[in-house]
Amino acid sequence: MSSNGIPGPPPDGDVASVAAERGPLAMEAISLGKDFRLGRGAILHAVRDVSFNLYRGAATALVGESGSGKSTVARLLAGQERLTSGSVRLDGQPVDVSRSRAFRQYKSKVQLVFQDPFSSLNPVHTVSYHLERPVKLRQDKHSRQEVSQETAALLEQVRLTPPGQFLPKFPHELSGGQRQRVSFARALAARPEVLLADEPVSMLDVSIRLEMLSLLDDLRRRFRLALLYITHDIASARYFADEVLVMYAGQIVERGPAEEVTQHPAHPYTQLLVASAPDPDNLGSGLHAGSGAERRAENTGPAATGCPFSTRCPLADDRCRRDNPALQRVSATRAAACWRLDAAAPDVLAEPQGGGL
């Protein structure tokens, strides 16, 4: 019980995911950790004890500012970085990077779409080459007719029509949106189960971002993809994702249904993200007056000890600066890592807690 009489959240960070309602479990990220050595004994803890699940047909958004560790998580899941700690499971089976054949199959099922659609495509090769190669390698199609039909179908799936107009072109001959569509098509060529989209629209013109997100959502539904959407834009996460994971300084600080997290954020950092959204009048209209989002602190970087957000949080006290909070269950589908939830989000804590998991 807090000092103002509002019950505090149970000390259990395990919550049910609303994304599980979409389909079966595809991927499990279990206590992921990644450290980078900076020299002279210094270590950067880029990812710390991050756990979540991805489900077929569901979109999960990983939200946070630059440097929070979002892209590192994507590279860990894609097998482009080795884990310092933790494990990844696909369809219930652990991923073993030492078994080259099994790992190649895993990388076929888990595809990563990069932020920059120009640098991710080889400028000396045509669109046709970028699509034919994965079709031959991943779909075991080798006849000219089969490959030609499949590459044309891939371009149609990402709405680049007529295909014959785009297949002979080089990346520099395409617009940014067209290049990103080719990146989507290349990922689909492997027939993946999991799609990791790392800031897929952040480098595109504002005028086409919504169109590209609509395409991505259509591909998720049509191919029953388990989608991890990585973004710094919490506003787009609200409309695009089933579940939102908020990340700060390498760890998850809040998680829950997209609508609830964006409309009634619990963690002071999430409140800051919502208050910084382009249209705060409509996003997060339920923000508690006087919350951390209303009284922003200077961005001095994460704290070395205690809660990493304590250097920026106007609610931080001695306990916050001393001890790093774990995720605490706020409701059956929500959790937040904050010692001061009673002050930061009393309206959230006052809601009915519901039954068990």
Side-chain angles (χ1 to χ4, degrees):
M1 181 81 64
S2 65
S3 59
N4 61 5
I6 297 175
D12 183 3
D14 293 331
V15 295
S17 172
V18 294
E21 300 173 4
R22 294 278 192 179
L25 177 64
M27 174 178 279
E28 300 168 82
I30 306 169
S31 299
L32 303 185
K34 179 62 180 180
D35 297 339
F36 292 101
R37 297 189 179 276
L38 304 179
R40 295 185 178 182
I43 297 178
L44 171 64
H45 303 291
V47 176
R48 298 187 284 181
D49 196 26
V50 168
S51 298
F52 59 87
N53 296 333
L54 299 178
Y55 297 87
R56 295 296 296 268
T60 298
L62 186 59
V63 180
E65 62 194 15
S66 298
S68 61
K70 309 184 304 298
S71 294
T72 302
V73 168
R75 291 195 296 270
L76 291 172
L77 296 180
Q80 295 188 352
E81 294 279 0
R82 285 184 175 268
L83 287 163
T84 301
S85 59
S87 61
V88 177
R89 289 178 176 268
L90 182 67
D91 295 327
Q93 300 299 315
V95 178
D96 186 355
V97 298
S98 64
R99 297 174 55 196
S100 58
R101 183 174 181 180
F103 190 53
R104 283 197 300 270
Q105 293 177 343
Y106 169 81
K107 296 189 74 171
S108 175
K109 294 180 179 180
V110 179
Q111 289 291 300
L112 175 61
V113 175
F114 296 94
Q115 177 179 4
D116 185 352
F118 190 82
S119 62
S120 64
L121 299 175
N122 192 323
V124 303
H125 290 300
T126 63
V127 170
S128 178
Y129 175 88
H130 284 94
L131 299 183
E132 287 178 357
R133 193 164 182 269
V135 166
K136 293 176 181 178
L137 290 175
R138 306 303 186 187
Q139 298 187 25
D140 197 29
K141 294 181 178 180
H142 298 286
S143 75
R144 180 171 296 181
Q145 182 178 2
E146 284 183 323
V147 173
S148 177
Q149 289 176 344
E150 182 62 23
T151 54
L154 287 168
L155 289 183
E156 289 175 350
Q157 287 165 3
V158 298
R159 305 172 191 170
L160 285 179
T161 56
Q165 178 181 334
F166 296 95
L167 286 169
K169 290 190 174 182
F170 290 88
H172 72 270
E173 297 177 297
L174 304 175
S175 68
Q178 290 171 340
R179 287 195 293 266
Q180 195 63 297
R181 289 174 191 268
V182 172
S183 296
F184 290 163
R186 181 175 59 179
L188 291 176
R191 294 183 175 175
E193 296 180 15
V194 178
L195 184 64
L196 311 171
D198 186 6
E199 299 272 14
V201 300
S202 64
M203 297 190 69
L204 303 180
D205 291 341
V206 175
S207 59
I208 64 170
R209 289 182 184 178
L210 185 59
E211 180 183 348
M212 295 300 294
L213 287 177
S214 175
L215 170 61
L216 195 57
D217 190 53
D218 176 63
L219 297 176
R220 169 186 67 84
R221 296 173 184 271
R222 197 188 321 171
F223 298 104
R224 301 289 295 160
L225 297 171
L227 175 64
L228 181 65
Y229 171 56
I230 297 172
T231 182
H232 63 273
D233 180 12
I234 197 168
S236 67
R238 174 192 175 189
Y239 296 104
F240 184 69
D242 298 290
E243 183 177 26
V244 167
L245 311 173
V246 181
M247 194 169 188
Y248 182 75
Q251 61 192 66
I252 303 297
V253 297
E254 185 168 356
R255 64 182 303 167
E259 183 74 14
E260 294 182 24
V261 170
T262 54
Q263 289 296 95
H264 303 281
H267 195 282
Y269 176 63
T270 311
Q271 294 174 0
L272 178 63
L273 289 178
V274 169
S276 302
D279 190 3
D281 290 336
N282 294 325
L283 183 68
S285 57
L287 279 178
H288 172 58
S291 66
E294 299 295 327
R295 296 176 282 135
R296 302 180 198 175
E298 181 182 355
N299 186 356
T300 56
T305 59
C307 173
F309 192 61
S310 62
T311 54
R312 300 171 63 184
C313 181
L315 302 176
D317 57 18
D318 290 341
R319 186 184 188 188
C320 301
R321 288 182 278 270
R322 183 182 65 247
D323 302 322
N324 190 6
L327 280 171
Q328 302 179 77
R329 179 171 146 164
V330 175
S331 72
T333 56
R334 293 191 63 181
C338 179
W339 295 124
R340 300 297 313 279
L341 288 177
D342 57 342
D347 54 335
V348 175
L349 295 183
E351 294 174 357
Q353 296 297 304
L357 297 181

